[in-house]
Amino acid sequence: MLLPLAPILIAGTALSADPAAPVAGDADAFKLSLTLEAWFPRLEGNFVDGPADIDVSAADLDDSAPSFAGELGLTRDRLSVALRGFSMATEGRGPAESAFTLGGLAVNAGDALDNSFSWWSAGAQVAYDFYRPLAEQPTRWSEPRAGWTPAANNTDLSVFALVSADVQGMQRALANLTSGLSTDANETFAGVNAGLGFRLAFDTKEWFPVVRRVDLGASAAGGAILPMAGGDFGFGMRVEADISFWFCPKGAAYFGYRYVGGSYDGEEVALDGSLQGLRGGIRIEF
């Protein structure tokens, strides 16, 4: 099976926007960042085939699949722009636990299956920190605070708004080895999301020398999904959370969780489902 290779992208979103810098840092400096990530998502939900909903587990496509994700970002002051993407693939082999029909392929309980499913995504996100309650200037439109001093442990809290656009592709291949029949389906979707998030960062070097700084962040965004080859509009969501440990001024290790899903209603592939699972990686600033 040919798996589309998603561009490797991401970092520099507001979740990773210069957590090693002081609260009142150099606002005019551009900062480039790169994130390389291992993601372990599990496909969940139902394939939709006419009036029938077929759980992805019926096709044995619900196992956790080690996948790659990445991000390339550029940050200046409160504004972050990021390119991002991921690519995953999962396979299912063995006897069918129950009978179903999907994509015109009939499967009886006990039939030998050889199935696969892949999902890739490539897109961009723009985020803006509109509120920093601990900073000298909480918003871009507020006056600097008289007599301001940095918070304890150089703590910085940011609340940000984001907008994103992504292209996502899905490929499903089903083979009934018992009957000798098979079916393939491909679909590409475009999605536009808007949402909110936060980031909390604080120094730890004084009481935990191995880690210089810790950065906690989360974001949630939702919006429209449009099949690019015909179909109906759907609603999608993307939720992410992570914690980063900065071992040096320009490098961090992190782990977290990601959910990407919604209602994907294409002509060949229709899925009410998601990818979700743990993730971890490294983040480097240049």
Side-chain angles (χ1 to χ4, degrees):
M1 178 189 70
L2 179 61
L3 174 64
L5 179 62
I8 295 167
L9 327 126
I10 2 189
T13 66
L15 287 179
S16 60
D18 191 28
V23 175
D26 185 358
D28 294 327
F30 287 95
K31 300 176 180 65
L32 181 67
S33 57
L34 174 66
T35 299
L36 302 175
E37 175 183 296
W39 185 26
F40 300 90
R42 182 186 302 274
L43 180 65
E44 297 187 3
N46 298 313
F47 292 115
V48 181
D49 193 348
D53 291 338
I54 298 94
D55 194 290
V56 297
S57 62
D60 197 21
L61 294 174
D62 59 337
D63 291 335
S64 179
S67 307
F68 178 81
E71 190 173 283
L72 178 65
L74 185 65
T75 301
R76 185 184 185 190
D77 191 20
R78 297 172 180 257
L79 181 67
S80 299
V81 180
L83 302 177
R84 66 188 186 187
F86 67 78
S87 180
M88 69 79 65
T90 185
E91 297 180 342
R93 296 185 177 92
E97 295 183 357
S98 60
F100 65 90
T101 300
L102 181 60
L105 180 68
V107 176
N108 297 313
D111 285 355
L113 302 178
D114 186 2
N115 301 330
S116 63
F117 182 82
S118 64
W119 187 336
W120 61 265
S121 176
Q125 175 177 292
V126 178
Y128 184 77
D129 291 357
F130 64 85
Y131 185 50
R132 287 179 173 172
L134 302 180
E136 181 180 11
Q137 191 175 5
T139 72
R140 177 57 64 193
W141 308 275
S142 61
E143 293 294 330
R145 294 169 172 169
W148 173 87
T149 57
N153 298 314
N154 203 21
T155 302
D156 184 18
L157 173 64
S158 298
V159 181
F160 59 88
L162 65 91
V163 293
S164 63
D166 298 274
V167 176
Q168 301 182 50
M170 299 180 185
Q171 182 179 46
R172 185 186 65 210
L174 307 174
N176 187 331
L177 303 181
T178 301
S179 66
L181 301 177
S182 62
T183 180
D184 296 296
N186 296 273
E187 201 76 57
T188 304
F189 302 87
V192 179
N193 291 334
L196 297 171
F198 78 91
R199 189 194 76 246
L200 175 65
F202 51 89
D203 291 341
T204 58
K205 188 174 181 180
E206 290 187 4
W207 43 276
F208 190 50
V210 176
V211 178
R212 302 173 61 94
R213 193 162 174 83
V214 172
D215 181 7
L216 300 161
S219 65
I225 299 173
L226 175 65
M228 300 183 70
D232 294 326
F233 280 96
F235 178 79
M237 286 196 67
R238 185 180 182 118
V239 179
E240 295 181 327
D242 64 39
I243 178 170
S244 300
F245 300 94
W246 292 82
F247 295 97
C248 62
K250 298 295 184 179
Y254 72 93
F255 67 90
Y257 195 85
R258 176 183 292 115
Y259 168 96
V260 178
S263 178
Y264 300 84
D265 192 4
E267 290 187 341
E268 293 191 18
V269 177
L271 173 69
D272 287 333
S274 64
L275 292 176
Q276 52 186 303
L278 297 174
R279 61 194 182 106
I282 59 172
R283 182 171 291 128
I284 303 170
E285 290 187 348
F286 302 93

